[in-house]
Amino acid sequence: MSESPKKFYLTTPIYYVNARPHIGHAYSTIAADVIARRHRLLGDDTFFLTGTDEHGQKVQRSAEKAGIPPQQFADQVSKTFSDLWARMGMTNDDYIRTTDERHKRGVQKLWKHLEERGAIYLSSYTGQYSVGEEMFIDGPPGTIGPDGKPTETVTEENYFFKLSEYQLPVINLIESGELHIQPETTRNEVLSFLRGNVAAELTQVYDREPPRLDAEDPQKIAENEGKVARSTAGHNYVPGALKDLSISRTTFNWGIPVPGNEKHVIYVWLDALANYMTAVGYGSDDPAEIAKFEKYWPADLHLVGKEITRFHCVYWPAFLLAAGLPLPKSVVANGWLLFEDSKMSKSRGNVVRTETILDAFGSLLPKPAPTTADTGVSPADIKNNTADEKNQPANERINKADNGISSGLQPTESTPTQTGALAPGISDEAWKRQQDLFASDVIRYFLLREIPFGQDGSFSFDALVQRYNSDLANGYGNLVSRTLNLIVQYCSSTYVYGRRSGAAIPPLRTIENAAYLQFSPQLRELAEATEQASERNLGAFEFGKALETIWNLVARTDAFISETAPWKLLKEISSAENTESYDQLTDQHGKALIRLEDILYTASESIRIITALLYPFLPNTTAKVWKQLGFETHIEQAARNGELKNLKWGGLKPGTKLGTLAPIFPRAPKELIQTMTDAESNNTPVPTPSKFIDEKTTHTSPITEDPTHPAAPPRAISPDAATPSVGGSHAITTERPDTPSHTEAPASGVFANAAAQSDIPDTPQIAIDDFVKIDLRVAQIVVAERIPKADKLLRLEVDLGYEKRQILSGIAEWYTPEDLLGRRIVIIANLAPRKMRGLESHGMLLAASHGENGKPVLATFGEDIALGSRLR
Ligand code: MSP
């Protein structure tokens, strides 16, 4: 009998509804989502909770200002949080609101329980109350509270919780490690506070003092009276430094009434902290809920912002100890996201909205124009994540359809064909979903890579775009595109690690064949070491370090391809193409073939491991790559099946059919920085992605999005009869003005117009980001030959420096092969491959159309230029 899985219950703070979500809130939720996904893939029965904190004076006042009842106000703002999490593909299993009946019932039960156990008493108290922070502050009337606003003098008959009785128990709990607190600095701060050593540890966090009924400085007490005691672990502390806590209010009524004394509402922090239990069934009589509570409580991890650690590490354990309930196992604090050097917060007005980034990065995936090709999109994709579904907890969305595999959490990609459109026929809504999830991955990566978890870090749009381009577009994205395209070009368009196309030579190599396993032991060792390091770091919440080690493997794999230069082997193999069996391969050919296959297998296997390790961080992009690698199981399902843990080298099976290649991370133009800055400074939403899409699809030649990767439909360039083009290998010409044309691109000198009067461009404007999608490269023609029975077509081989490739070009009427040999020309390197006359063409030459009959004149250079240089 198999053991039942370990449970893992983790929570985020529940967010106040007095402000709309910003990127700081997203930061905490993202970290939690990464952890939840990691635990699911480890096989743990994971429960991930988030929600909103809706009671208290602050919310009541905000609602009054808005002129609506507090419940309506809370409903509206809470929805902006839940909508955002759904938009970002968060996999929270529940979404708790403190205005939920289940929660109110649970809080009242906890109160009664504490009262019955003698932990609560009634007394009166006068003090300075910070409304913004919902707490009493030490100081004279008018003291400035932690929220920067003057406190209010409040005299109240209050219920008090006997916090003072829990000073030593909580110190012992933390010192023994029974309650783990991370980072170390936070643990020290909490302990220092508990021990009464306040003077030595004054930090920003300690601006937020709980009410002190005894005005005397605890340190003074210690000095004057020598009242220092020792904890079980032998550390000094000042008994009496922790004071009882006021846990009810009578000055406002937006809260949960104290059972039996409805004049009082329960202190918002007692109310809020209890969410962690009420969400998993505490307070319910329903047997299923009771079983749920028994299963999941106590929480394994409370992930919180560093400013609320005292509530989670002092008050919360004390409440639970007093109630005789099990204690959470760990509290891990994230640092603050700073913007313009101070903590992002609504009151400072320096927030960055997550939606701004989602919109801007989502626009990098413009929806391609539909074609008449087979749509390849299932109805499930199109109805994917309706507005209603978004408001549901992720677990319900998962259960609803296909375990979340074809809808809900993960978009099912369209299934473009190499010759078809990227997402033909996909609905706007489904495409927008893809854009959001793509952009969500970008945010996840950036925040967790850029800022060491637990420390404060600055957020900037500049850094975001820069990291995106360097690590995602040029790093992981480029590696995947490069490798898989090499397989398509050099082996076969359909099979990985199989045979070069056409050769019917059984048997396909099997994984047992030592050749596959021995080619690059170094890369294999590095991949295995990377898995261990990344798992260790992730387990320790060192997200940045985990990503760093994975990126080291990305860089090594990329270097491996460059060093082994598979394109050099291609030539050796080419002449053996018609060989009927391995026996007929010469030694040299045979070795080259094995080597080529091994190189591509090794690189792909490394990518598989990278992709599996990246899944918790980039769940949406890795799903695409997983599919491209040829796995039929969705990565989400693979995670649940345990296929993403204990990764062993050799997981890719030779002969696996590659999935359809498609763009992964299109490069981001610098303009995106301005777009986001403008959107924030105007505080108006950036144009919705669908607006962007419309503009783009009508104005742009539908050239493939990923400059590193040929995947767009070959109809990219107008098959205008006037252009000297054959099949997919057109020379670019100045086209008819009504045709989306490349001549309108910025004056780089590349798109030289032969100045035919009829060609005066009145083509629509494009944005620079449309232009940068075209990967224009310098190449040298090294082979040029006629193709039998094709009058217009020449077969060329061009050298790009980093690889050689075959291009078929319809210029035979104007150029002889001899004219072309050795010429340095410009090609579009990221055009989707296309088959003509049984041969594949991988790119297109650039030429201007000259004279009445449109003679193509190849673009060349007057100066020396290195092969592979990019034209910008
Ligand atoms: N409602 C309380 C928490 C109750 S938990 C029982 C609260 N809410 S909050 O909306 O003000 O902020 C909650 C959390 O949001 C922070 O603890 C932190 O996790 C996250 N962040 C809010 N602003 C942030 C930054 N600028 N930077 C990083 N995290 C931020 O406190």
Side-chain angles (χ1 to χ4, degrees), residues 13-16 22 24-25 27-28 53 269 272-273 275-276 304-305 307-308 312 334-337 343-344:
I14 48 170
Y15 304 105
Y16 283 134
H22 58 69
H25 301 114
Y27 182 44
S28 302
D53 188 354
W269 272 100
L273 287 161
N275 90 87
Y276 302 134
V304 300
E307 76 289 354
I308 56 173
H312 286 81
N334 65 256
W336 287 339
L337 284 191
K343 182 185 179 231
M344 250 181 237

Side-chain angles (χ1 to χ4, degrees), residues 521-726:
Q522 278 174 356
L523 206 55
R524 177 188 176 165
E525 276 164 26
L526 182 66
E528 287 171 353
T530 303
E531 185 194 2
Q532 286 168 18
S534 136
E535 174 53 24
R536 203 175 42 245
N537 286 320
L538 200 43
F541 312 106
E542 301 268 20
F543 303 102
K545 281 193 190 156
L547 288 167
E548 206 179 307
T549 58
I550 300 171
W551 249 257
N552 182 37
L553 182 58
V554 169
R556 257 317 295 153
T557 309
D558 205 43
F560 165 77
I561 295 179
S562 301
E563 286 157 14
T564 53
W567 43 91
K568 287 191 186 151
L569 298 165
L570 183 66
K571 216 166 176 189
E572 294 179 35
I573 300 161
S574 295
S575 57
E577 274 219 284
N578 297 324
T579 310
E580 290 293 316
S581 77
Y582 268 118
D583 299 342
Q584 291 174 19
L585 287 173
T586 63
D587 262 8
Q588 193 197 355
H589 288 146
K591 277 185 195 150
L593 181 63
I594 289 170
R595 210 172 140 75
L596 179 67
E597 291 176 352
D598 287 351
I599 290 169
L600 297 178
Y601 180 83
T602 301
S604 310
E605 181 56 11
S606 185
I607 289 175
R608 178 187 70 91
I609 289 177
I610 290 166
T611 303
L613 296 178
L614 282 179
Y615 160 76
F617 298 96
L618 304 174
N620 309 295
T621 314
T622 52
K624 289 184 195 165
V625 175
W626 201 247
K627 211 165 167 184
Q628 292 188 21
L629 280 170
F631 289 102
E632 278 166 18
T633 315
H634 195 286
I635 200 162
E636 192 85 15
Q637 190 60 53
R640 285 166 202 268
N641 295 346
E643 290 166 36
L644 304 188
K645 67 173 179 180
N646 303 328
L647 303 164
K648 294 267 175 305
W649 188 264
L652 278 174
K653 299 284 169 268
T656 303
K657 194 171 181 182
L658 273 188
T660 304
L661 306 191
I664 300 168
F665 288 116
R667 291 201 178 86
K670 281 222 165 77
E671 285 67 23
L672 217 57
I673 300 170
Q674 200 54 46
T675 308
M676 292 186 282
T677 311
D678 291 349
E680 281 308 311
S681 51
N682 301 338
N683 213 7
T684 52
V686 289
T688 60
S690 59
K691 181 148 175 275
F692 265 107
I693 293 164
D694 291 341
E695 284 164 6
K696 286 210 166 113
T697 47
T698 48
H699 292 178
T700 320
S701 297
I703 286 199
T704 178
E705 283 87 35
D706 185 346
T708 65
H709 175 53
R715 65 179 201 84
I717 305 304
S718 163
D720 182 348
T723 59
S725 64
V726 178

Side-chain angles (χ1 to χ4, degrees), residues 60-72:
Q60 186 169 338
R61 287 192 180 168
S62 298
E64 276 162 16
K65 256 196 204 158
I68 51 176
Q71 184 63 60
Q72 193 183 335

Side-chain angles (χ1 to χ4, degrees), residues 843-859:
M844 189 163 81
L845 315 189
L846 224 62
S849 173
H850 178 76
E852 275 184 9
N853 53 5
K855 173 182 186 305
V857 177
L858 287 172

Side-chain angles (χ1 to χ4, degrees), residues 33-44:
D33 189 66
V34 171
I35 297 166
R37 287 176 187 270
R38 168 179 176 261
H39 278 275
R40 288 191 200 108
L41 81 81
L42 291 177
D44 295 344

